[in-house]
Amino acid sequence: QSVLTQPPSTSGTPGQRVTISCSGSSSNIGSRLVNWYQQLPGTAPKLLIYSNNQRPSGVPDRFSGSKSGTSTSLAISGLQSEDEADYYCAAWDDSLNGWVFGGGTRLTVL
Amino acid sequence: QVQLVQSGAEVKEPGASVKVSCKASGYTFTSYGVYWVRQAPGQGLEWMGWINAYNANTRYTQKLQGRVTMTTDTSTSTAYMELRSLRSDDTAVYYCARGGKTAAELAFDPWGQGTLVTVSS
C-alpha cells in the first residue's frame, strides 16, 4: 500500500487530454513540493515535472503539473502513442522522514 | 552530459550480500547527493535512502535500517549501495539517481540505468 494514492490505470486516444491524480496528506503533498516521473516500458524512470509544476529542459509543454492542498495532478494534452508509460508522483514525507511514491499509473494510448 | 552508470546484474543466494555501484560523470560529484530506489518485478518504486557525496551523511528508510549501507568514493565519483541478509523479496531492479545535499532536497534526476538483483537459491 503506497503512501501516495494514484489510480492504477488510465487511457486515452491520440490527441486527447488526460489527467492523473495523486493524493496524499499534510505530511507530504500538503507541505512539500511534488515531482512526477515517467517510466517507459523496460527503461529507468525519468523526471517529468519537479516542484509541483516545473518542466525540466526537453520535456514538452504538453505535460503540466498542478497541486491543491493534499492532492496533485499531472495533465497530458495532445496525447501521443509515445506517452504510453507508467507515471509516478513523489514527495518528501515529514512524518516518515523519507521520500514516498505513488503506486504508479499505467497510461495506455488506444 | 550528466550521467550515472551502474554495475551489472547480480544473482545472489538468500542470506548473502550484494554491493551495487553507480559511477557519476558530467558534474561535480561532491556538490550533490545520491538517492537509491528499487523496483520489484511488476511493482512500483520504493525509496531506499540517500547519501551526501561530500560528507557521507546518510538517511535510510526505516524498513531497511540495519541491512543497508550507502557509501561513496569521491576519488572515482562512485556511489555504492550494499544490502545484506538478502531475502527473496529483495529481488528487484535497483536504481541510483542524483539528488541534493540534503535528503529532502531536489528531484531525482538523472537516474542510472538500473541493476537487476535476483535472490534465489
Side-chain angles (χ1 to χ4, degrees), chain A residues 35 37 39 43-45 47 88 92 97-99 101, chain B residues 35 39 47 59 95 103-104 106-108 111-112:
Chain A
N35 307 313
Y37 300 91
Q39 186 174 34
T43 70
L47 178 64
Y88 294 90
W92 179 265
N97 268 317
W99 286 91
F101 287 92
Chain B
Y35 300 116
Q39 185 172 35
W47 180 74
R59 180 77 61 86
Y95 295 102
L106 291 188
F108 298 44
W111 295 60

mmCIF file with all atom_site columns, all heavy atoms in Angstrom, chain A residues 35 37 39 43-45 47 88 92 97-99 101, chain B residues 35 39 47 59 95 103-104 106-108 111-112:
data_model
loop_
_atom_site.group_PDB
_atom_site.id
_atom_site.type_symbol
_atom_site.label_atom_id
_atom_site.label_alt_id
_atom_site.label_comp_id
_atom_site.label_asym_id
_atom_site.label_entity_id
_atom_site.label_seq_id
_atom_site.pdbx_PDB_ins_code
_atom_site.Cartn_x
_atom_site.Cartn_y
_atom_site.Cartn_z
_atom_site.occupancy
_atom_site.B_iso_or_equiv
_atom_site.pdbx_formal_charge
_atom_site.auth_seq_id
_atom_site.auth_comp_id
_atom_site.auth_asym_id
_atom_site.auth_atom_id
_atom_site.pdbx_PDB_model_num
ATOM 1   N N   . ASN A 1 35  ? 7.024  15.901 -7.270  1.00 0.00 ? 35  ASN A N   1
ATOM 2   C CA  . ASN A 1 35  ? 7.681  15.602 -8.542  1.00 0.00 ? 35  ASN A CA  1
ATOM 3   C C   . ASN A 1 35  ? 6.949  14.458 -9.228  1.00 0.00 ? 35  ASN A C   1
ATOM 4   O O   . ASN A 1 35  ? 6.337  13.614 -8.565  1.00 0.00 ? 35  ASN A O   1
ATOM 5   C CB  . ASN A 1 35  ? 9.141  15.191 -8.308  1.00 0.00 ? 35  ASN A CB  1
ATOM 6   C CG  . ASN A 1 35  ? 9.901  16.208 -7.482  1.00 0.00 ? 35  ASN A CG  1
ATOM 7   O OD1 . ASN A 1 35  ? 9.843  17.407 -7.741  1.00 0.00 ? 35  ASN A OD1 1
ATOM 8   N ND2 . ASN A 1 35  ? 10.619 15.728 -6.475  1.00 0.00 ? 35  ASN A ND2 1
ATOM 9   N N   . TYR A 1 37  ? 7.406  11.402 -12.340 1.00 0.00 ? 37  TYR A N   1
ATOM 10  C CA  . TYR A 1 37  ? 8.356  10.642 -13.131 1.00 0.00 ? 37  TYR A CA  1
ATOM 11  C C   . TYR A 1 37  ? 7.610  9.813  -14.168 1.00 0.00 ? 37  TYR A C   1
ATOM 12  O O   . TYR A 1 37  ? 6.521  9.292  -13.900 1.00 0.00 ? 37  TYR A O   1
ATOM 13  C CB  . TYR A 1 37  ? 9.194  9.727  -12.226 1.00 0.00 ? 37  TYR A CB  1
ATOM 14  C CG  . TYR A 1 37  ? 9.978  10.508 -11.206 1.00 0.00 ? 37  TYR A CG  1
ATOM 15  C CD1 . TYR A 1 37  ? 9.442  10.775 -9.946  1.00 0.00 ? 37  TYR A CD1 1
ATOM 16  C CD2 . TYR A 1 37  ? 11.227 11.034 -11.511 1.00 0.00 ? 37  TYR A CD2 1
ATOM 17  C CE1 . TYR A 1 37  ? 10.133 11.529 -9.014  1.00 0.00 ? 37  TYR A CE1 1
ATOM 18  C CE2 . TYR A 1 37  ? 11.932 11.788 -10.589 1.00 0.00 ? 37  TYR A CE2 1
ATOM 19  C CZ  . TYR A 1 37  ? 11.381 12.035 -9.346  1.00 0.00 ? 37  TYR A CZ  1
ATOM 20  O OH  . TYR A 1 37  ? 12.062 12.798 -8.434  1.00 0.00 ? 37  TYR A OH  1
ATOM 21  N N   . GLN A 1 39  ? 8.052  6.478  -16.640 1.00 0.00 ? 39  GLN A N   1
ATOM 22  C CA  . GLN A 1 39  ? 8.850  5.279  -16.874 1.00 0.00 ? 39  GLN A CA  1
ATOM 23  C C   . GLN A 1 39  ? 8.319  4.569  -18.110 1.00 0.00 ? 39  GLN A C   1
ATOM 24  O O   . GLN A 1 39  ? 7.261  3.915  -18.064 1.00 0.00 ? 39  GLN A O   1
ATOM 25  C CB  . GLN A 1 39  ? 8.822  4.351  -15.658 1.00 0.00 ? 39  GLN A CB  1
ATOM 26  C CG  . GLN A 1 39  ? 9.755  3.149  -15.811 1.00 0.00 ? 39  GLN A CG  1
ATOM 27  C CD  . GLN A 1 39  ? 9.849  2.305  -14.553 1.00 0.00 ? 39  GLN A CD  1
ATOM 28  O OE1 . GLN A 1 39  ? 8.888  2.167  -13.809 1.00 0.00 ? 39  GLN A OE1 1
ATOM 29  N NE2 . GLN A 1 39  ? 11.018 1.725  -14.304 1.00 0.00 ? 39  GLN A NE2 1
ATOM 30  N N   . THR A 1 43  ? 12.541 0.701  -19.208 1.00 0.00 ? 43  THR A N   1
ATOM 31  C CA  . THR A 1 43  ? 13.585 1.711  -19.010 1.00 0.00 ? 43  THR A CA  1
ATOM 32  C C   . THR A 1 43  ? 13.545 2.267  -17.595 1.00 0.00 ? 43  THR A C   1
ATOM 33  O O   . THR A 1 43  ? 12.600 2.027  -16.839 1.00 0.00 ? 43  THR A O   1
ATOM 34  C CB  . THR A 1 43  ? 13.441 2.873  -20.003 1.00 0.00 ? 43  THR A CB  1
ATOM 35  O OG1 . THR A 1 43  ? 12.269 3.642  -19.666 1.00 0.00 ? 43  THR A OG1 1
ATOM 36  C CG2 . THR A 1 43  ? 13.327 2.370  -21.436 1.00 0.00 ? 43  THR A CG2 1
ATOM 37  N N   . ALA A 1 44  ? 14.568 3.034  -17.246 1.00 0.00 ? 44  ALA A N   1
ATOM 38  C CA  . ALA A 1 44  ? 14.609 3.695  -15.949 1.00 0.00 ? 44  ALA A CA  1
ATOM 39  C C   . ALA A 1 44  ? 13.644 4.877  -15.936 1.00 0.00 ? 44  ALA A C   1
ATOM 40  O O   . ALA A 1 44  ? 13.345 5.466  -16.979 1.00 0.00 ? 44  ALA A O   1
ATOM 41  C CB  . ALA A 1 44  ? 16.030 4.187  -15.673 1.00 0.00 ? 44  ALA A CB  1
ATOM 42  N N   . PRO A 1 45  ? 13.142 5.230  -14.764 1.00 0.00 ? 45  PRO A N   1
ATOM 43  C CA  . PRO A 1 45  ? 12.296 6.414  -14.678 1.00 0.00 ? 45  PRO A CA  1
ATOM 44  C C   . PRO A 1 45  ? 13.045 7.674  -15.124 1.00 0.00 ? 45  PRO A C   1
ATOM 45  O O   . PRO A 1 45  ? 14.283 7.734  -15.080 1.00 0.00 ? 45  PRO A O   1
ATOM 46  C CB  . PRO A 1 45  ? 11.941 6.486  -13.183 1.00 0.00 ? 45  PRO A CB  1
ATOM 47  C CG  . PRO A 1 45  ? 12.130 5.094  -12.683 1.00 0.00 ? 45  PRO A CG  1
ATOM 48  C CD  . PRO A 1 45  ? 13.283 4.549  -13.472 1.00 0.00 ? 45  PRO A CD  1
ATOM 49  N N   . LEU A 1 47  ? 12.686 12.114 -14.884 1.00 0.00 ? 47  LEU A N   1
ATOM 50  C CA  . LEU A 1 47  ? 11.988 13.237 -14.272 1.00 0.00 ? 47  LEU A CA  1
ATOM 51  C C   . LEU A 1 47  ? 11.135 13.953 -15.313 1.00 0.00 ? 47  LEU A C   1
ATOM 52  O O   . LEU A 1 47  ? 11.641 14.362 -16.360 1.00 0.00 ? 47  LEU A O   1
ATOM 53  C CB  . LEU A 1 47  ? 12.994 14.209 -13.650 1.00 0.00 ? 47  LEU A CB  1
ATOM 54  C CG  . LEU A 1 47  ? 12.418 15.463 -13.006 1.00 0.00 ? 47  LEU A CG  1
ATOM 55  C CD1 . LEU A 1 47  ? 11.538 15.092 -11.814 1.00 0.00 ? 47  LEU A CD1 1
ATOM 56  C CD2 . LEU A 1 47  ? 13.542 16.407 -12.573 1.00 0.00 ? 47  LEU A CD2 1
ATOM 57  N N   . TYR A 1 88  ? 4.607  8.168  -12.062 1.00 0.00 ? 88  TYR A N   1
ATOM 58  C CA  . TYR A 1 88  ? 4.687  8.131  -10.603 1.00 0.00 ? 88  TYR A CA  1
ATOM 59  C C   . TYR A 1 88  ? 4.791  9.547  -10.035 1.00 0.00 ? 88  TYR A C   1
ATOM 60  O O   . TYR A 1 88  ? 5.576  10.357 -10.525 1.00 0.00 ? 88  TYR A O   1
ATOM 61  C CB  . TYR A 1 88  ? 5.926  7.358  -10.141 1.00 0.00 ? 88  TYR A CB  1
ATOM 62  C CG  . TYR A 1 88  ? 5.919  5.890  -10.478 1.00 0.00 ? 88  TYR A CG  1
ATOM 63  C CD1 . TYR A 1 88  ? 6.445  5.433  -11.683 1.00 0.00 ? 88  TYR A CD1 1
ATOM 64  C CD2 . TYR A 1 88  ? 5.398  4.953  -9.589  1.00 0.00 ? 88  TYR A CD2 1
ATOM 65  C CE1 . TYR A 1 88  ? 6.451  4.067  -11.998 1.00 0.00 ? 88  TYR A CE1 1
ATOM 66  C CE2 . TYR A 1 88  ? 5.398  3.595  -9.878  1.00 0.00 ? 88  TYR A CE2 1
ATOM 67  C CZ  . TYR A 1 88  ? 5.926  3.164  -11.092 1.00 0.00 ? 88  TYR A CZ  1
ATOM 68  O OH  . TYR A 1 88  ? 5.928  1.831  -11.398 1.00 0.00 ? 88  TYR A OH  1
ATOM 69  N N   . TRP A 1 92  ? 8.522  14.311 -0.451  1.00 0.00 ? 92  TRP A N   1
ATOM 70  C CA  . TRP A 1 92  ? 9.139  14.030 0.838   1.00 0.00 ? 92  TRP A CA  1
ATOM 71  C C   . TRP A 1 92  ? 8.031  13.963 1.884   1.00 0.00 ? 92  TRP A C   1
ATOM 72  O O   . TRP A 1 92  ? 7.094  14.746 1.859   1.00 0.00 ? 92  TRP A O   1
ATOM 73  C CB  . TRP A 1 92  ? 10.146 15.109 1.196   1.00 0.00 ? 92  TRP A CB  1
ATOM 74  C CG  . TRP A 1 92  ? 10.807 14.892 2.522   1.00 0.00 ? 92  TRP A CG  1
ATOM 75  C CD1 . TRP A 1 92  ? 10.438 15.424 3.731   1.00 0.00 ? 92  TRP A CD1 1
ATOM 76  C CD2 . TRP A 1 92  ? 11.925 14.059 2.793   1.00 0.00 ? 92  TRP A CD2 1
ATOM 77  N NE1 . TRP A 1 92  ? 11.263 14.979 4.717   1.00 0.00 ? 92  TRP A NE1 1
ATOM 78  C CE2 . TRP A 1 92  ? 12.195 14.144 4.177   1.00 0.00 ? 92  TRP A CE2 1
ATOM 79  C CE3 . TRP A 1 92  ? 12.757 13.260 2.001   1.00 0.00 ? 92  TRP A CE3 1
ATOM 80  C CZ2 . TRP A 1 92  ? 13.254 13.444 4.772   1.00 0.00 ? 92  TRP A CZ2 1
ATOM 81  C CZ3 . TRP A 1 92  ? 13.800 12.577 2.592   1.00 0.00 ? 92  TRP A CZ3 1
ATOM 82  C CH2 . TRP A 1 92  ? 14.034 12.664 3.964   1.00 0.00 ? 92  TRP A CH2 1
ATOM 83  N N   . ASN A 1 97  ? 10.098 10.795 7.370   1.00 0.00 ? 97  ASN A N   1
ATOM 84  C CA  . ASN A 1 97  ? 11.468 11.255 7.097   1.00 0.00 ? 97  ASN A CA  1
ATOM 85  C C   . ASN A 1 97  ? 12.075 10.521 5.917   1.00 0.00 ? 97  ASN A C   1
ATOM 86  O O   . ASN A 1 97  ? 13.207 9.995  5.973   1.00 0.00 ? 97  ASN A O   1
ATOM 87  C CB  . ASN A 1 97  ? 12.364 11.040 8.327   1.00 0.00 ? 97  ASN A CB  1
ATOM 88  C CG  . ASN A 1 97  ? 12.381 12.264 9.210   1.00 0.00 ? 97  ASN A CG  1
ATOM 89  O OD1 . ASN A 1 97  ? 12.481 13.392 8.719   1.00 0.00 ? 97  ASN A OD1 1
ATOM 90  N ND2 . ASN A 1 97  ? 12.248 12.058 10.491  1.00 0.00 ? 97  ASN A ND2 1
ATOM 91  N N   . GLY A 1 98  ? 11.301 10.488 4.852   1.00 0.00 ? 98  GLY A N   1
ATOM 92  C CA  . GLY A 1 98  ? 11.781 9.830  3.641   1.00 0.00 ? 98  GLY A CA  1
ATOM 93  C C   . GLY A 1 98  ? 10.910 10.195 2.459   1.00 0.00 ? 98  GLY A C   1
ATOM 94  O O   . GLY A 1 98  ? 9.843  10.805 2.610   1.00 0.00 ? 98  GLY A O   1
ATOM 95  N N   . TRP A 1 99  ? 11.398 9.833  1.282   1.00 0.00 ? 99  TRP A N   1
ATOM 96  C CA  . TRP A 1 99  ? 10.605 10.054 0.072   1.00 0.00 ? 99  TRP A CA  1
ATOM 97  C C   . TRP A 1 99  ? 9.539  8.976  -0.052  1.00 0.00 ? 99  TRP A C   1
ATOM 98  O O   . TRP A 1 99  ? 9.794  7.802  0.236   1.00 0.00 ? 99  TRP A O   1
ATOM 99  C CB  . TRP A 1 99  ? 11.514 10.021 -1.162  1.00 0.00 ? 99  TRP A CB  1
ATOM 100 C CG  . TRP A 1 99  ? 12.353 11.250 -1.312  1.00 0.00 ? 99  TRP A CG  1
ATOM 101 C CD1 . TRP A 1 99  ? 13.602 11.469 -0.828  1.00 0.00 ? 99  TRP A CD1 1
ATOM 102 C CD2 . TRP A 1 99  ? 11.976 12.447 -2.002  1.00 0.00 ? 99  TRP A CD2 1
ATOM 103 N NE1 . TRP A 1 99  ? 14.038 12.713 -1.165  1.00 0.00 ? 99  TRP A NE1 1
ATOM 104 C CE2 . TRP A 1 99  ? 13.057 13.349 -1.893  1.00 0.00 ? 99  TRP A CE2 1
ATOM 105 C CE3 . TRP A 1 99  ? 10.842 12.846 -2.720  1.00 0.00 ? 99  TRP A CE3 1
ATOM 106 C CZ2 . TRP A 1 99  ? 13.034 14.620 -2.460  1.00 0.00 ? 99  TRP A CZ2 1
ATOM 107 C CZ3 . TRP A 1 99  ? 10.815 14.107 -3.278  1.00 0.00 ? 99  TRP A CZ3 1
ATOM 108 C CH2 . TRP A 1 99  ? 11.905 14.983 -3.152  1.00 0.00 ? 99  TRP A CH2 1
ATOM 109 N N   . PHE A 1 101 ? 6.459  7.458  -2.786  1.00 0.00 ? 101 PHE A N   1
ATOM 110 C CA  . PHE A 1 101 ? 5.982  7.442  -4.161  1.00 0.00 ? 101 PHE A CA  1
ATOM 111 C C   . PHE A 1 101 ? 4.518  7.007  -4.199  1.00 0.00 ? 101 PHE A C   1
ATOM 112 O O   . PHE A 1 101 ? 4.046  6.282  -3.310  1.00 0.00 ? 101 PHE A O   1
ATOM 113 C CB  . PHE A 1 101 ? 6.777  6.432  -4.997  1.00 0.00 ? 101 PHE A CB  1
ATOM 114 C CG  . PHE A 1 101 ? 8.172  6.853  -5.329  1.00 0.00 ? 101 PHE A CG  1
ATOM 115 C CD1 . PHE A 1 101 ? 9.244  6.491  -4.510  1.00 0.00 ? 101 PHE A CD1 1
ATOM 116 C CD2 . PHE A 1 101 ? 8.438  7.604  -6.467  1.00 0.00 ? 101 PHE A CD2 1
ATOM 117 C CE1 . PHE A 1 101 ? 10.536 6.859  -4.825  1.00 0.00 ? 101 PHE A CE1 1
ATOM 118 C CE2 . PHE A 1 101 ? 9.741  7.982  -6.786  1.00 0.00 ? 101 PHE A CE2 1
ATOM 119 C CZ  . PHE A 1 101 ? 10.784 7.606  -5.966  1.00 0.00 ? 101 PHE A CZ  1
ATOM 120 N N   . TYR B 2 35  ? 20.537 9.296  -4.430  1.00 0.00 ? 35  TYR B N   1
ATOM 121 C CA  . TYR B 2 35  ? 19.421 8.509  -3.913  1.00 0.00 ? 35  TYR B CA  1
ATOM 122 C C   . TYR B 2 35  ? 19.532 7.087  -4.445  1.00 0.00 ? 35  TYR B C   1
ATOM 123 O O   . TYR B 2 35  ? 20.061 6.867  -5.534  1.00 0.00 ? 35  TYR B O   1
ATOM 124 C CB  . TYR B 2 35  ? 18.082 9.057  -4.410  1.00 0.00 ? 35  TYR B CB  1
ATOM 125 C CG  . TYR B 2 35  ? 17.746 10.467 -4.046  1.00 0.00 ? 35  TYR B CG  1
ATOM 126 C CD1 . TYR B 2 35  ? 17.603 11.436 -5.040  1.00 0.00 ? 35  TYR B CD1 1
ATOM 127 C CD2 . TYR B 2 35  ? 17.510 10.836 -2.725  1.00 0.00 ? 35  TYR B CD2 1
ATOM 128 C CE1 . TYR B 2 35  ? 17.245 12.736 -4.720  1.00 0.00 ? 35  TYR B CE1 1
ATOM 129 C CE2 . TYR B 2 35  ? 17.154 12.131 -2.404  1.00 0.00 ? 35  TYR B CE2 1
ATOM 130 C CZ  . TYR B 2 35  ? 17.031 13.080 -3.402  1.00 0.00 ? 35  TYR B CZ  1
ATOM 131 O OH  . TYR B 2 35  ? 16.673 14.361 -3.090  1.00 0.00 ? 35  TYR B OH  1
ATOM 132 N N   . GLN B 2 39  ? 12.803 -1.334 -7.422  1.00 0.00 ? 39  GLN B N   1
ATOM 133 C CA  . GLN B 2 39  ? 11.522 -1.658 -8.052  1.00 0.00 ? 39  GLN B CA  1
ATOM 134 C C   . GLN B 2 39  ? 11.443 -3.168 -8.210  1.00 0.00 ? 39  GLN B C   1
ATOM 135 O O   . GLN B 2 39  ? 12.136 -3.757 -9.044  1.00 0.00 ? 39  GLN B O   1
ATOM 136 C CB  . GLN B 2 39  ? 11.411 -0.956 -9.407  1.00 0.00 ? 39  GLN B CB  1
ATOM 137 C CG  . GLN B 2 39  ? 10.066 -1.139 -10.081 1.00 0.00 ? 39  GLN B CG  1
ATOM 138 C CD  . GLN B 2 39  ? 9.930  -0.273 -11.323 1.00 0.00 ? 39  GLN B CD  1
ATOM 139 O OE1 . GLN B 2 39  ? 10.888 -0.046 -12.051 1.00 0.00 ? 39  GLN B OE1 1
ATOM 140 N NE2 . GLN B 2 39  ? 8.728  0.231  -11.568 1.00 0.00 ? 39  GLN B NE2 1
ATOM 141 N N   . TRP B 2 47  ? 11.687 4.091  -2.311  1.00 0.00 ? 47  TRP B N   1
ATOM 142 C CA  . TRP B 2 47  ? 12.889 4.825  -1.914  1.00 0.00 ? 47  TRP B CA  1
ATOM 143 C C   . TRP B 2 47  ? 13.618 4.057  -0.839  1.00 0.00 ? 47  TRP B C   1
ATOM 144 O O   . TRP B 2 47  ? 13.020 3.615  0.139   1.00 0.00 ? 47  TRP B O   1
ATOM 145 C CB  . TRP B 2 47  ? 12.491 6.198  -1.397  1.00 0.00 ? 47  TRP B CB  1
ATOM 146 C CG  . TRP B 2 47  ? 13.637 7.063  -0.959  1.00 0.00 ? 47  TRP B CG  1
ATOM 147 C CD1 . TRP B 2 47  ? 14.528 7.705  -1.762  1.00 0.00 ? 47  TRP B CD1 1
ATOM 148 C CD2 . TRP B 2 47  ? 13.991 7.386  0.390   1.00 0.00 ? 47  TRP B CD2 1
ATOM 149 N NE1 . TRP B 2 47  ? 15.419 8.415  -0.992  1.00 0.00 ? 47  TRP B NE1 1
ATOM 150 C CE2 . TRP B 2 47  ? 15.122 8.238  0.324   1.00 0.00 ? 47  TRP B CE2 1
ATOM 151 C CE3 . TRP B 2 47  ? 13.476 7.050  1.644   1.00 0.00 ? 47  TRP B CE3 1
ATOM 152 C CZ2 . TRP B 2 47  ? 15.739 8.756  1.463   1.00 0.00 ? 47  TRP B CZ2 1
ATOM 153 C CZ3 . TRP B 2 47  ? 14.082 7.570  2.776   1.00 0.00 ? 47  TRP B CZ3 1
ATOM 154 C CH2 . TRP B 2 47  ? 15.212 8.404  2.689   1.00 0.00 ? 47  TRP B CH2 1
ATOM 155 N N   . ARG B 2 59  ? 20.742 8.853  5.063   1.00 0.00 ? 59  ARG B N   1
ATOM 156 C CA  . ARG B 2 59  ? 19.385 8.696  5.601   1.00 0.00 ? 59  ARG B CA  1
ATOM 157 C C   . ARG B 2 59  ? 18.810 7.468  4.928   1.00 0.00 ? 59  ARG B C   1
ATOM 158 O O   . ARG B 2 59  ? 18.789 7.380  3.700   1.00 0.00 ? 59  ARG B O   1
ATOM 159 C CB  . ARG B 2 59  ? 18.521 9.919  5.272   1.00 0.00 ? 59  ARG B CB  1
ATOM 160 C CG  . ARG B 2 59  ? 17.097 9.832  5.793   1.00 0.00 ? 59  ARG B CG  1
ATOM 161 C CD  . ARG B 2 59  ? 17.020 10.096 7.276   1.00 0.00 ? 59  ARG B CD  1
ATOM 162 N NE  . ARG B 2 59  ? 17.487 11.413 7.616   1.00 0.00 ? 59  ARG B NE  1
ATOM 163 C CZ  . ARG B 2 59  ? 16.748 12.515 7.599   1.00 0.00 ? 59  ARG B CZ  1
ATOM 164 N NH1 . ARG B 2 59  ? 15.488 12.452 7.206   1.00 0.00 ? 59  ARG B NH1 1
ATOM 165 N NH2 . ARG B 2 59  ? 17.250 13.671 7.968   1.00 0.00 ? 59  ARG B NH2 1
ATOM 166 N N   . TYR B 2 95  ? 18.012 1.232  -8.599  1.00 0.00 ? 95  TYR B N   1
ATOM 167 C CA  . TYR B 2 95  ? 18.401 2.443  -9.321  1.00 0.00 ? 95  TYR B CA  1
ATOM 168 C C   . TYR B 2 95  ? 19.117 3.412  -8.398  1.00 0.00 ? 95  TYR B C   1
ATOM 169 O O   . TYR B 2 95  ? 18.746 3.557  -7.228  1.00 0.00 ? 95  TYR B O   1
ATOM 170 C CB  . TYR B 2 95  ? 17.180 3.173  -9.866  1.00 0.00 ? 95  TYR B CB  1
ATOM 171 C CG  . TYR B 2 95  ? 16.382 2.450  -10.928 1.00 0.00 ? 95  TYR B CG  1
ATOM 172 C CD1 . TYR B 2 95  ? 15.183 1.816  -10.612 1.00 0.00 ? 95  TYR B CD1 1
ATOM 173 C CD2 . TYR B 2 95  ? 16.801 2.438  -12.258 1.00 0.00 ? 95  TYR B CD2 1
ATOM 174 C CE1 . TYR B 2 95  ? 14.434 1.171  -11.590 1.00 0.00 ? 95  TYR B CE1 1
ATOM 175 C CE2 . TYR B 2 95  ? 16.063 1.789  -13.240 1.00 0.00 ? 95  TYR B CE2 1
ATOM 176 C CZ  . TYR B 2 95  ? 14.879 1.157  -12.898 1.00 0.00 ? 95  TYR B CZ  1
ATOM 177 O OH  . TYR B 2 95  ? 14.133 0.531  -13.863 1.00 0.00 ? 95  TYR B OH  1
ATOM 178 N N   . ALA B 2 103 ? 18.655 15.204 2.288   1.00 0.00 ? 103 ALA B N   1
ATOM 179 C CA  . ALA B 2 103 ? 17.835 14.080 1.826   1.00 0.00 ? 103 ALA B CA  1
ATOM 180 C C   . ALA B 2 103 ? 16.550 14.521 1.169   1.00 0.00 ? 103 ALA B C   1
ATOM 181 O O   . ALA B 2 103 ? 16.050 13.856 0.272   1.00 0.00 ? 103 ALA B O   1
ATOM 182 C CB  . ALA B 2 103 ? 17.550 13.144 2.993   1.00 0.00 ? 103 ALA B CB  1
ATOM 183 N N   . ALA B 2 104 ? 16.013 15.654 1.612   1.00 0.00 ? 104 ALA B N   1
ATOM 184 C CA  . ALA B 2 104 ? 14.706 16.085 1.119   1.00 0.00 ? 104 ALA B CA  1
ATOM 185 C C   . ALA B 2 104 ? 14.795 17.039 -0.062  1.00 0.00 ? 104 ALA B C   1
ATOM 186 O O   . ALA B 2 104 ? 13.783 17.479 -0.580  1.00 0.00 ? 104 ALA B O   1
ATOM 187 C CB  . ALA B 2 104 ? 13.925 16.749 2.248   1.00 0.00 ? 104 ALA B CB  1
ATOM 188 N N   . LEU B 2 106 ? 15.806 18.444 -3.813  1.00 0.00 ? 106 LEU B N   1
ATOM 189 C CA  . LEU B 2 106 ? 15.938 18.142 -5.236  1.00 0.00 ? 106 LEU B CA  1
ATOM 190 C C   . LEU B 2 106 ? 15.193 16.888 -5.678  1.00 0.00 ? 106 LEU B C   1
ATOM 191 O O   . LEU B 2 106 ? 15.096 15.887 -4.952  1.00 0.00 ? 106 LEU B O   1
ATOM 192 C CB  . LEU B 2 106 ? 17.407 17.988 -5.646  1.00 0.00 ? 106 LEU B CB  1
ATOM 193 C CG  . LEU B 2 106 ? 18.273 19.243 -5.632  1.00 0.00 ? 106 LEU B CG  1
ATOM 194 C CD1 . LEU B 2 106 ? 19.625 18.950 -6.260  1.00 0.00 ? 106 LEU B CD1 1
ATOM 195 C CD2 . LEU B 2 106 ? 17.564 20.394 -6.310  1.00 0.00 ? 106 LEU B CD2 1
ATOM 196 N N   . ALA B 2 107 ? 14.729 16.943 -6.875  1.00 0.00 ? 107 ALA B N   1
ATOM 197 C CA  . ALA B 2 107 ? 14.094 15.788 -7.510  1.00 0.00 ? 107 ALA B CA  1
ATOM 198 C C   . ALA B 2 107 ? 15.170 14.789 -7.919  1.00 0.00 ? 107 ALA B C   1
ATOM 199 O O   . ALA B 2 107 ? 16.361 15.086 -7.899  1.00 0.00 ? 107 ALA B O   1
ATOM 200 C CB  . ALA B 2 107 ? 13.299 16.247 -8.734  1.00 0.00 ? 107 ALA B CB  1
ATOM 201 N N   . PHE B 2 108 ? 14.745 13.586 -8.265  1.00 0.00 ? 108 PHE B N   1
ATOM 202 C CA  . PHE B 2 108 ? 15.639 12.506 -8.670  1.00 0.00 ? 108 PHE B CA  1
ATOM 203 C C   . PHE B 2 108 ? 15.960 12.689 -10.158 1.00 0.00 ? 108 PHE B C   1
ATOM 204 O O   . PHE B 2 108 ? 15.139 12.368 -11.019 1.00 0.00 ? 108 PHE B O   1
ATOM 205 C CB  . PHE B 2 108 ? 14.963 11.153 -8.470  1.00 0.00 ? 108 PHE B CB  1
ATOM 206 C CG  . PHE B 2 108 ? 14.601 10.814 -7.041  1.00 0.00 ? 108 PHE B CG  1
ATOM 207 C CD1 . PHE B 2 108 ? 14.018 11.740 -6.199  1.00 0.00 ? 108 PHE B CD1 1
ATOM 208 C CD2 . PHE B 2 108 ? 14.817 9.539  -6.548  1.00 0.00 ? 108 PHE B CD2 1
ATOM 209 C CE1 . PHE B 2 108 ? 13.675 11.429 -4.892  1.00 0.00 ? 108 PHE B CE1 1
ATOM 210 C CE2 . PHE B 2 108 ? 14.470 9.207  -5.248  1.00 0.00 ? 108 PHE B CE2 1
ATOM 211 C CZ  . PHE B 2 108 ? 13.904 10.157 -4.428  1.00 0.00 ? 108 PHE B CZ  1
ATOM 212 N N   . TRP B 2 111 ? 18.632 9.448  -13.562 1.00 0.00 ? 111 TRP B N   1
ATOM 213 C CA  . TRP B 2 111 ? 18.662 8.099  -12.979 1.00 0.00 ? 111 TRP B CA  1
ATOM 214 C C   . TRP B 2 111 ? 19.722 7.255  -13.694 1.00 0.00 ? 111 TRP B C   1
ATOM 215 O O   . TRP B 2 111 ? 19.999 7.460  -14.876 1.00 0.00 ? 111 TRP B O   1
ATOM 216 C CB  . TRP B 2 111 ? 17.306 7.420  -13.151 1.00 0.00 ? 111 TRP B CB  1
ATOM 217 C CG  . TRP B 2 111 ? 16.172 8.073  -12.406 1.00 0.00 ? 111 TRP B CG  1
ATOM 218 C CD1 . TRP B 2 111 ? 15.707 9.359  -12.553 1.00 0.00 ? 111 TRP B CD1 1
ATOM 219 C CD2 . TRP B 2 111 ? 15.336 7.472  -11.416 1.00 0.00 ? 111 TRP B CD2 1
ATOM 220 N NE1 . TRP B 2 111 ? 14.639 9.587  -11.715 1.00 0.00 ? 111 TRP B NE1 1
ATOM 221 C CE2 . TRP B 2 111 ? 14.381 8.441  -11.019 1.00 0.00 ? 111 TRP B CE2 1
ATOM 222 C CE3 . TRP B 2 111 ? 15.274 6.202  -10.832 1.00 0.00 ? 111 TRP B CE3 1
ATOM 223 C CZ2 . TRP B 2 111 ? 13.390 8.193  -10.043 1.00 0.00 ? 111 TRP B CZ2 1
ATOM 224 C CZ3 . TRP B 2 111 ? 14.285 5.948  -9.882  1.00 0.00 ? 111 TRP B CZ3 1
ATOM 225 C CH2 . TRP B 2 111 ? 13.370 6.936  -9.493  1.00 0.00 ? 111 TRP B CH2 1
ATOM 226 N N   . GLY B 2 112 ? 20.259 6.291  -12.957 1.00 0.00 ? 112 GLY B N   1
ATOM 227 C CA  . GLY B 2 112 ? 21.086 5.286  -13.590 1.00 0.00 ? 112 GLY B CA  1
ATOM 228 C C   . GLY B 2 112 ? 20.211 4.323  -14.387 1.00 0.00 ? 112 GLY B C   1
ATOM 229 O O   . GLY B 2 112 ? 18.979 4.393  -14.319 1.00 0.00 ? 112 GLY B O   1
#
